[in-house]
Amino acid sequence: MVGVLAGTIEDAFLVYAAINGPVPSHETSAIPPPKVYFPILQATNSVPNITLARSREWFNDCSDDIRTCCSQALYKLYEKYGWKTVDVTIPDIEAMRLAHYLTIGSECTAALSSYLENLDIAESGWDVRVALSVYGAFSGEEYIKAQKLRNRQMKVHRNIFTKADVIVTPTVGVTAYPILNDALQTGELDYINGAALVRFQIAGNFLGLPAVTVPVGYDKKGLPIGLQFIGRPWSEPTLIHIAYAMQSLCIPECRKPQAFYDLLKKD
């Protein structure tokens, strides 16, 4: 999904406000998108009694540093604003991950088919070769099954949003890891860490739900950790509000890695 990459929630808010609005494809839609009302960021208490949904099995599927840091961030929200976290169950997480992967692979292959016909595979890295081989092996029947699971998961998430305002997860399952020396020759083939990086992007990407992530701390090596909030369709104002509240609690404790300061000292 297309999104905004910004240094602060205020910056992301400005960009979102600029790009928000009708697009030509909506003009013929029978169900136009609703009008979005933006929050006043400083008025944090204007949205009381926020409830955060957490699937413990999914939330805890990350490194110890990330799990501890994100859990502490949730406690800060409770301590400062009284926003409670409720436990929910999201079934078939692994099946949804596979269906998500299958959908992306099938749609990418279909969209790029005219280009792939003229592709010289010898000019591609091994990561591209592996991806194309796997993506091209998916069948139409498997794609349809993936969309059935997608529809079922939409119902699961819709039910969760009757109990909570947002679903909360870590942003990624691992912090940044070193790229191996042979990546320039072979491409990046670390699928173990790669899978951990996108572990919590499934719901937003596969189900089309809006989401926002906020830095909440660092691991023992000084690498940044983020917390993600996933909302129901058209809940961007609520997400912006929650993200701003989270940012206001964590920014004073955030510090940039030492390397950042070293770079600033150089001419």
Side-chain angles (χ1 to χ4, degrees), residues 186-212:
T186 64
E188 180 58 54
L189 285 169
D190 191 342
Y191 284 104
I192 300 299
N193 281 316
L197 285 179
V198 299
R199 180 167 294 145
F200 302 107
Q201 275 68 61
I202 300 173
N205 202 36
F206 189 40
L207 306 180
L209 300 174
V212 62

Side-chain angles (χ1 to χ4, degrees), residues 162-202:
T162 63
K163 307 171 185 176
D165 298 284
V166 296
I167 298 171
V168 62
T169 74
T171 301
V172 293
V174 294
T175 50
Y177 54 91
I179 296 177
L180 300 180
N181 294 332
D182 62 352
L184 284 178
Q185 288 73 38
T186 64
E188 180 58 54
L189 285 169
D190 191 342
Y191 284 104
I192 300 299
N193 281 316
L197 285 179
V198 299
R199 180 167 294 145
F200 302 107
Q201 275 68 61
I202 300 173

Side-chain angles (χ1 to χ4, degrees), residues 224-247:
I225 294 172
L227 187 67
Q228 177 181 230
F229 302 97
I230 305 166
R232 59 172 61 86
W234 308 111
S235 65
E236 285 86 347
T238 299
L239 288 172
I240 292 171
H241 174 88
I242 293 173
Y244 180 79
M246 187 79 268
Q247 175 184 264

Side-chain angles (χ1 to χ4, degrees), residues 62 98 126 262 264:
C62 57
L98 295 175
W126 286 105
D262 292 342
L264 286 183

